[in-house]
Amino acid sequence: MTQSPLEKIQVLDQIEKEIVLCLQSAGQALLELSKEKSSQKNAENHTQQFLKSLNAVESKLSEQINYLTQVSTGQPHEGSGYAAAKVLQMAWHRIHHARSRVRELEESKAKYLQLTNRQQGNFPNGAGGQQQQQQGNTGNM
């Protein structure tokens, strides 16, 4: 059963109302017991209402906790965007890493080219000189 976010919020709102009812029943039971002439029947009714509400709250909260446990494991879930958000975040990390690696490679390439240009400038008869001679020879043809 897939629930929309609005339905999930409504379920949580119902749980909150049940908690309020539970607290009211407990308060009424204690109020009845604090009277000089308390009615045992009324106290028992309020106590039964408290226990009933408490059981309902416990079961509904357990359902919500189980749902959250399933969603937070990263397993794909019908009503969850967690897995998609996790995939997106990992993709952003991979892009950032790839960009930084490309930048490092570009810097290494620039340093290598500077080094080779310096070496060619220092050795006119080296590779740079040979290239100039070859270019001159092709121009004469």
Side-chain angles (χ1 to χ4, degrees), residues 75-126:
Q75 299 297 322
H77 187 271
E78 299 165 353
S80 172
Y82 178 78
K86 185 177 175 183
V87 168
L88 178 64
Q89 185 181 22
M90 293 304 294
W92 278 111
H93 285 294
R94 287 191 300 272
I95 287 172
H96 178 71
H97 179 69
R99 285 181 181 162
S100 67
R101 287 293 295 150
V102 167
R103 193 176 316 113
E104 289 173 8
L105 290 171
E106 287 175 345
E107 290 171 2
S108 295
K109 175 185 167 187
K111 287 179 184 177
Y112 174 77
L113 290 175
Q114 286 177 351
L115 182 63
T116 56
N117 286 340
R118 281 189 212 148
Q119 289 176 348
Q120 288 175 356
N122 291 338
F123 304 107
N125 294 334

Side-chain angles (χ1 to χ4, degrees), residues 1-60:
M1 183 172 132
T2 304
Q3 290 182 336
S4 70
L6 183 59
E7 290 171 335
K8 291 175 188 172
I9 290 173
Q10 288 174 345
V11 168
L12 292 174
D13 188 47
Q14 290 172 353
I15 292 171
E16 183 179 12
K17 288 177 182 175
E18 194 70 36
I19 290 172
V20 170
L21 181 63
C22 184
L23 292 173
Q24 286 175 343
S25 296
Q28 290 174 348
L30 291 173
L31 184 63
E32 188 64 39
L33 291 173
S34 67
K35 293 180 181 177
E36 280 187 36
K37 294 182 179 179
S38 63
S39 168
Q40 186 175 353
K41 183 178 179 182
N42 285 343
E44 285 179 3
N45 286 341
H46 292 302
T47 302
Q48 290 300 321
Q49 181 63 36
F50 168 76
L51 293 174
K52 180 181 172 186
S53 297
L54 187 61
N55 285 332
V57 167
E58 182 181 10
S59 66
K60 290 178 182 178

